[in-house]
Amino acid sequence: MMGGAGTAPIAAETGQGKTRIAPDVVAKIAGLAARDIPGVHSMGSGVARRIGQLRELIPGGSQAASQGVSVDVGERQAAIDLNLVTEYGQSIVDISDAVRRSVAGQVEGMTGLKVTEVNIQVDDIHVESPQDSQQSRTQ
Amino acid sequence: MVRVEDIAAAIADAALGVPGVAGLSPGRGVEVSTPYPGGKVVGVRMAADGVTVGITADRVPLPPIADQVTAAVRRVLSAVGDDRPVTVVIDDVLPEALSRRVT
């Protein structure tokens, strides 16, 4: 599994020339498409989320759109793995269905690549609690 | 291709159009909703094994309301060639319903 790094750009079209789309592009589109779904709180495994939070502290810094996304791209196909944190009280099945549809639709629509699979791993559940804001104040 | 959220929204409209339905309800447990990019249709769940619609009733008796909602949802689904089973959940009844008995 490639970590979305731009190691091997891929050919999406041939004919009078080739169009290559870097895996990073696919990962970014997939990340944004997944975040669009209500019920997706954040993305990435524990370590990636912590690094993402640190990046947010830097002025002008923001979480990478491709955080929590890894893509495997072939000539004309892409397989996408996602790590999600969902909101407590929401159906993980419903959210993953919606994420899968959104990601496959956006990636296929924007890149022309066929999305063969969107694998989703839910790493954590986010619980909204009044203590959240209290903790950040006392720390 | 018809998008799931469009079907869910059509189902929500159909259910709201039934006399006796005061509103759609997400339920008390796991939220009944259909998430889509940028929002969600609350009160309608489009699962692979069936469609669930949660409603709040504003009158009694309840069974005719449930029957009419089921029929309305069925009409929307059959229009797009979908034959998933429909479950209507009456989540709540408005207090004034008891004084507005319609038969």
Side-chain angles (χ1 to χ4, degrees):
Chain A
M1 213 96 353
M2 286 182 291
T7 43
I10 45 114
E13 280 171 25
T14 48
Q16 289 191 307
K18 278 184 182 172
T19 306
R20 289 177 186 278
I21 299 171
D24 266 354
V25 174
V26 178
K28 207 174 222 179
I29 295 169
L32 293 171
R35 270 169 234 260
D36 251 0
I37 304 296
V40 174
H41 175 258
S42 59
M43 295 184 62
S45 60
V47 179
R49 286 205 307 280
R50 223 149 273 164
I51 294 170
Q53 282 168 353
L54 288 176
R55 284 178 54 145
E56 275 184 336
L57 294 177
I58 304 165
S62 64
Q63 287 196 13
S66 56
Q67 181 180 310
V69 186
S70 65
V71 292
D72 235 335
V73 285
E75 278 272 306
R76 288 167 196 279
Q77 295 183 326
I80 299 166
D81 292 350
L82 302 169
N83 289 78
L84 304 183
V85 178
T86 61
E87 299 282 1
Y88 176 79
Q90 311 268 323
S91 158
I92 290 174
V93 177
D94 292 353
I95 294 172
S96 6
D97 281 351
V99 166
R100 207 166 269 126
R101 271 196 305 273
S102 173
V103 167
Q106 294 286 68
V107 170
E108 287 184 356
M110 286 190 213
T111 65
L113 292 166
K114 175 98 188 78
V115 175
T116 52
E117 52 185 26
V118 180
N119 299 310
I120 295 171
Q121 169 153 342
V122 177
D123 285 303
D124 204 354
I125 288 210
H126 177 252
V127 184
E128 198 75 62
S129 77
Q131 284 170 345
D132 278 352
S133 49
Q134 272 173 6
Q135 272 176 1
S136 58
R137 237 178 285 138
T138 50
Q139 270 170 7
Chain B
M1 204 190 90
V2 189
R3 290 181 302 174
V4 175
E5 57 261 39
D6 293 338
I7 302 174
I11 288 173
D13 287 345
L16 285 170
V18 173
V21 176
L24 294 169
S25 165
R28 280 151 219 271
V30 175
E31 188 180 82
V32 173
S33 67
T34 303
Y36 62 90
K40 58 187 167 188
V41 181
V42 174
V44 180
R45 174 185 290 145
M46 308 282 294
D49 59 348
V51 174
T52 307
V53 182
I55 62 164
T56 302
D58 70 359
R59 64 189 69 175
V60 285
L62 301 173
I65 303 175
D67 289 347
Q68 286 182 61
V69 172
T70 308
V73 173
R74 270 260 72 85
R75 274 196 295 277
V76 173
L77 285 174
S78 56
V80 291
D82 196 326
D83 59 353
R84 274 183 273 192
V86 177
T87 307
V88 174
V89 181
I90 299 173
D91 271 315
D92 205 358
V93 183
L94 297 183
E96 56 263 37
L98 302 172
S99 58
R100 202 194 296 161
R101 174 172 261 276
V102 185
T103 42

